[in-house]
Amino acid sequence: MKRQFRRPAHRASALYRRSIQLRVVAVSLLASIAVVLVLGVVVVAQVRTGLLDTKIDAARAQARIGFQVEQKKIDEARDLKLRNIADPTTEETGTWLLRQVNDLAASGQTVYSVIAMAPGTGAVVPDTAGFAPRYSGDIQPSSVPDTLRAKLFDEPGQMFDQSTRIHRSPESGGKSEPGLALGMQFVGPAGTSYQLFYVFSFGQETDTLNLITGTLATAGVFVVILMGGIAWVVVRQVVTPVRMAAGISERLADGHLEERMKVTGTDDIARLGESFNRMANALQAQIRQLEELSRVQRRFVSDVSHELRTPLTTVRMAADLIYDSREDLDPMAARSAELLQGQLDRFESLLADLLEISRFDAGAAILDAEPVDLREIVARVVEAADPLAQAKGSTIVIRGDGEPVLAEVDSRRIERILRNLVVNALEHGEGRDVVVRLGSADGAVAVGVRDYGIGLKPGEASRVFHRFWRADPSRVRTTGGTGLGLSIAVEDAHLHGGWLQAWGEPGGGSHFRLTLPRTRGGDINRAPFRLEPEDSRNNRGLGAYGTPYRRAIAPAGSTALSAAEEQAEAPEGPGSGLGSGLGGVLNIGPGLGRNRLPEGPRADPSDVRTAGAGYGATGAQVMVDPTPGRPSVAQRTAEPDVTGGTDLEGSQRAKDEQQD
């Protein structure tokens, strides 16, 4: 039931946030309703006060005159009695009251009613005086409030009034309406006390107020609708050009550079359209210029690469001839022949990479995909890299190869990617172990290459896939290299519809993860394992002070420190900033500082939501979102490795101690 109401509420909320026109109209309607309500209440209150005050004043004046007439008749009857000319009817109290009620009510049958009854102190008064109430018309004696009767009883000869509800006889429909009762207590000619009341009905005034209220309500509804319509029309005149500009901007972003806004008039909106069109013209000129430069650059690389093949072939033949006969040469010439042979190998490798890059730029790369077990490709890559691993003193550890890792891929391209990653890991691994991890889950397969060498400095993970970029140009490269390997690797990954991502931290090594869809053309929703390794310095609580996100040295199951706790523990000084525990683009996932249930890797390429510019076109990214609840470092070193490999942390620590 809650979901049925929650979905429309979410849709309405999203529409309200997305539409400025709807927001303006809604605010205008609310303001109009508030104004109409305030004005209506004020007007009705003033009209009601005026009508009632006028009615009350007239009723008091009329009742005062009637009471004076009544007192005059009583005085005249007493005078006649003193002169022995008394009317016999004056001695009969009931008859006297009936005549007085009829006389007083004769002049105001449609305005007021007259009631005469015995004095009372409230509640039900018995007929102790020997007469029943006398009244005119269809009014009921119960219309007189008991509290008013009590006041008259306590202060005879004084006029009092009180609001009341007038009750009609059942023969008249038994209606009830508001009114005003005014009364005074008299002593009749026979010496009997009685109370006389004037009861004025406010029914006509109530009908007038109801009519005024209904009229104001109807007018208010029309005013609100009119204000909403006016706001809709006015805002639409402003929002329509903005929406048009947004639509044209989207088409410009999609590559339709000829789109322009239609400009009419000379107002502010017209000036906005003219400015937008000038901006679009400038962007189109710049993009066309950049496209032309890019086309010339790609054409130049392609032409140079092809043109160099012929002279390179001739030079290679001559160099091979000299190299084969180097034993007959003097030592300096023989050494020159060896150097020439090595540099020609690098030249041919660079030329081959340039040709491959030119194919990607021209969109001529072809994917020859077929079902392959990635374990076989990894085995070939590791076998080919074994001589380099022995020369570096490193051991290549393969994990996750207990079960088949099948995917539709181009074996040649995937092998080239993994060869680049493994060779780079051995080159920069400082003689430590290199871990190759395989995994598959949720329609995706992944291969990760982890080293424990120099790592990546902050910001380098986002540039590692750039062409001809090297982390440290001063380092000696014993295996050669052109600086295009990772650029080609990321293009091969994109050709498969996959991700190639990098993570690294200074002194903590690096981790490259290749994620591919299991089937050709499939989508990747989740990577089989995280990009940041569990044994990173950051996860082990070894991050430098001042890093925005790090782990404290805590037992298993501890979570990341909140921002406030981190700021309290981090000392002030120049060490603040990204710190040494982060290499590349910094991203902090949602829920920082809050306990979360264990969950799998995230679905987006970076494992966390992007911040700033995101991971860009290169796919490079740093993941800073450790999963809470996993074993601590001490537990990992004490437990056997269930994957069949060696405990990397323990073996690496022992190797470091031996080297020291």
Side-chain angles (χ1 to χ4, degrees):
M1 183 64 68
K2 292 183 178 179
R3 292 182 179 179
Q4 294 179 355
F5 291 102
R6 191 178 302 170
R7 290 179 180 177
H10 287 174
R11 292 178 181 176
S13 177
L15 180 61
Y16 180 81
R17 293 193 303 268
R18 188 170 58 250
S19 175
I20 186 174
Q21 185 174 5
L22 179 60
R23 291 201 301 271
V24 172
V25 172
V27 172
S28 300
L29 288 176
L30 292 177
S32 302
I33 292 173
V35 171
V36 168
L37 287 177
V38 172
L39 291 178
V41 170
V42 172
V43 170
V44 171
Q46 291 181 348
V47 172
R48 181 179 183 275
T49 302
L51 288 176
L52 293 181
D53 290 346
T54 302
K55 183 71 173 182
I56 291 173
D57 293 341
R60 287 173 178 172
Q62 181 69 35
R64 189 175 292 109
I65 294 173
F67 292 148
Q68 292 175 356
V69 172
E70 178 68 15
Q71 187 64 45
K72 184 177 180 181
K73 289 183 178 181
I74 294 174
D75 294 340
E76 291 177 351
R78 287 177 180 175
D79 290 341
L80 292 175
K81 184 177 181 181
L82 291 176
R83 288 184 291 174
N84 295 322
I85 314 176
D87 187 356
T89 59
T90 59
E91 302 296 331
E92 183 72 27
T93 303
T95 304
W96 167 264
L97 292 180
L98 181 60
R99 186 174 65 182
Q100 297 304 315
V101 167
N102 292 332
D103 292 343
L104 294 175
S107 60
Q109 294 180 358
T110 60
V111 179
Y112 58 86
S113 300
V114 180
I115 302 175
M117 63 179 65
T121 58
V124 178
V125 180
D127 191 8
T128 57
F131 60 89
R134 303 292 189 269
Y135 49 88
S136 63
D138 57 353
I139 194 171
Q140 296 293 309
S142 59
S143 302
V144 179
D146 294 336
T147 55
L148 179 60
R149 296 180 61 192
K151 288 182 180 180
L152 299 181
F153 183 82
D154 294 337
E155 299 183 31
Q158 299 293 328
M159 186 181 74
F160 294 95
D161 60 77
Q162 183 177 341
S163 299
T164 185
R165 294 293 300 181
I166 300 176
H167 304 286
R168 302 294 180 180
S169 62
E171 291 78 6
S172 301
K175 296 186 299 182
S176 177
E177 56 190 5
L180 180 67
L182 302 97
M184 182 180 289
Q185 184 168 320
F186 298 90
V187 178
T192 304
S193 297
Y194 64 92
Q195 295 177 345
L196 188 64
F197 299 95
Y198 276 80
V199 181
F200 290 84
S201 174
F202 288 166
Q204 185 176 359
E205 287 74 13
T206 302
D207 294 339
T208 303
L209 285 175
N210 292 335
L211 177 61
I212 294 174
T213 303
T215 303
L216 289 176
T218 304
V221 171
F222 282 106
V223 168
V224 170
I225 295 175
L226 181 62
M227 291 296 295
I230 293 174
W232 181 273
V233 173
V234 173
V235 177
R236 183 177 179 83
Q237 293 180 354
V238 179
V239 172
T240 299
V242 176
R243 291 177 176 173
M244 185 184 302
I248 294 176
S249 299
E250 294 177 355
R251 291 184 61 81
L252 287 174
D254 293 337
H256 303 280
L257 302 179
E258 295 78 13
E259 291 289 336
R260 296 294 183 272
M261 287 187 63
K262 183 180 180 181
V263 180
T264 56
T266 58
D267 55 6
D268 296 335
I269 300 298
R271 290 198 297 271
L272 174 63
E274 293 175 355
S275 301
F276 183 89
N277 290 339
R278 286 197 298 270
M279 178 192 68
N281 291 332
L283 288 176
Q284 182 181 13
Q286 292 291 333
I287 292 174
R288 291 289 171 80
Q289 184 179 0
L290 292 176
E291 288 178 348
E292 182 64 21
L293 291 176
S294 178
R295 187 186 64 80
V296 171
Q297 181 183 9
R298 293 195 302 268
R299 182 63 179 271
F300 174 78
V301 172
S302 178
D303 292 345
V304 169
S305 301
H306 284 84
E307 292 298 330
L308 286 178
R309 293 182 66 88
T310 301
L312 181 61
T313 302
T314 304
V315 173
R316 164 60 72 181
M317 294 175 60
D320 289 343
L321 181 61
I322 297 174
Y323 183 77
D324 292 339
S325 60
R326 66 184 182 280
E327 296 179 355
D328 300 333
L329 303 176
D330 58 88
M332 293 186 62
R335 179 56 180 167
S336 298
E338 294 175 355
L339 293 176
L340 177 62
Q341 189 73 9
Q343 294 303 315
L344 280 175
D345 291 338
R346 295 191 61 186
F347 193 11
E348 286 184 337
S349 177
L350 174 61
L351 185 59
D353 290 343
L354 288 175
L355 289 173
E356 189 67 22
I357 287 291
S358 65
R359 294 190 189 95
F360 283 118
D361 291 339
I366 299 176
L367 184 66
D368 186 13
E370 59 182 0
V372 178
D373 190 348
L374 295 185
R375 296 182 301 174
E376 300 177 359
I377 300 178
V378 170
R380 291 198 299 268
V381 170
V382 171
E383 182 179 359
D386 185 63
L388 178 60
Q390 294 181 4
K392 291 291 185 178
S394 300
T395 301
I396 302 178
V397 180
I398 303 177
R399 294 189 174 181
D401 58 344
E403 297 180 357
V405 184
L406 300 176
E408 292 185 14
V409 297
D410 190 333
S411 301
R412 180 182 64 86
R413 297 183 183 277
I414 298 303
E415 185 173 349
R416 180 168 58 190
I417 295 174
L418 298 181
R419 183 171 61 250
N420 272 291
L421 298 182
V422 172
V423 169
N424 286 340
L426 293 172
E427 181 71 23
H428 299 88
E430 301 293 329
R432 295 181 173 89
D433 292 346
V434 173
V435 179
V436 179
R437 179 179 178 182
L438 295 94
S440 62
D442 298 332
V445 297
V447 181
V449 179
R450 170 81 161 107
D451 68 79
Y452 297 85
I454 60 175
L456 297 174
K457 298 177 182 178
E460 290 184 349
S462 61
R463 303 193 303 269
V464 71
F465 297 105
H466 292 178
R467 297 176 183 180
F468 299 105
W469 185 85
R470 294 174 62 181
D472 189 358
S474 63
R475 289 178 56 84
V476 178
R477 299 182 60 90
T478 58
T479 58
T482 63
L484 294 174
L486 291 179
S487 301
I488 297 175
V490 76
E491 294 291 348
D492 284 332
H494 292 166
L495 190 62
H496 285 81
W499 311 330
L500 182 57
Q501 302 155 269
W503 169 93
E505 55 186 1
S510 60
H511 182 215
F512 287 77
R513 184 184 66 185
L514 172 64
T515 310
L516 303 170
R518 192 185 300 273
T519 58
R520 181 175 181 177
D523 295 329
I524 304 175
N525 297 320
R526 184 183 295 271
F529 49 83
R530 289 184 175 270
L531 182 59
E532 182 183 21
E534 295 184 356
D535 57 357
S536 65
R537 295 169 57 86
N538 180 63
N539 285 345
R540 291 186 285 125
L542 302 179
Y545 282 110
T547 55
Y549 189 91
R550 67 181 180 89
R551 278 192 176 277
I553 301 176
S558 62
T559 58
L561 296 178
S562 65
E565 295 171 343
E566 180 65 29
Q567 185 176 3
E569 292 189 4
E572 298 291 334
S576 62
L578 293 179
S580 60
L582 302 174
V585 181
L586 172 66
N587 285 281
I588 298 179
L592 178 60
R594 300 193 300 267
N595 293 332
R596 297 178 301 177
L597 295 175
E599 61 181 21
R602 299 188 178 276
D604 63 332
S606 62
D607 289 335
V608 293
R609 294 181 180 178
T610 57
Y615 66 95
T618 63
Q621 187 59 283
V622 163
M623 188 279 297
V624 186
D625 187 20
T627 302
R630 59 179 169 225
S632 62
V633 176
Q635 290 175 328
R636 288 199 301 267
T637 55
E639 295 176 357
D641 184 11
V642 295
T643 58
T646 60
D647 183 6
L648 183 59
E649 182 67 26
S651 63
Q652 192 60 54
R653 186 183 296 110
K655 180 179 291 188
D656 293 341
E657 292 176 355
Q658 293 177 0
Q659 291 179 353
D660 294 339

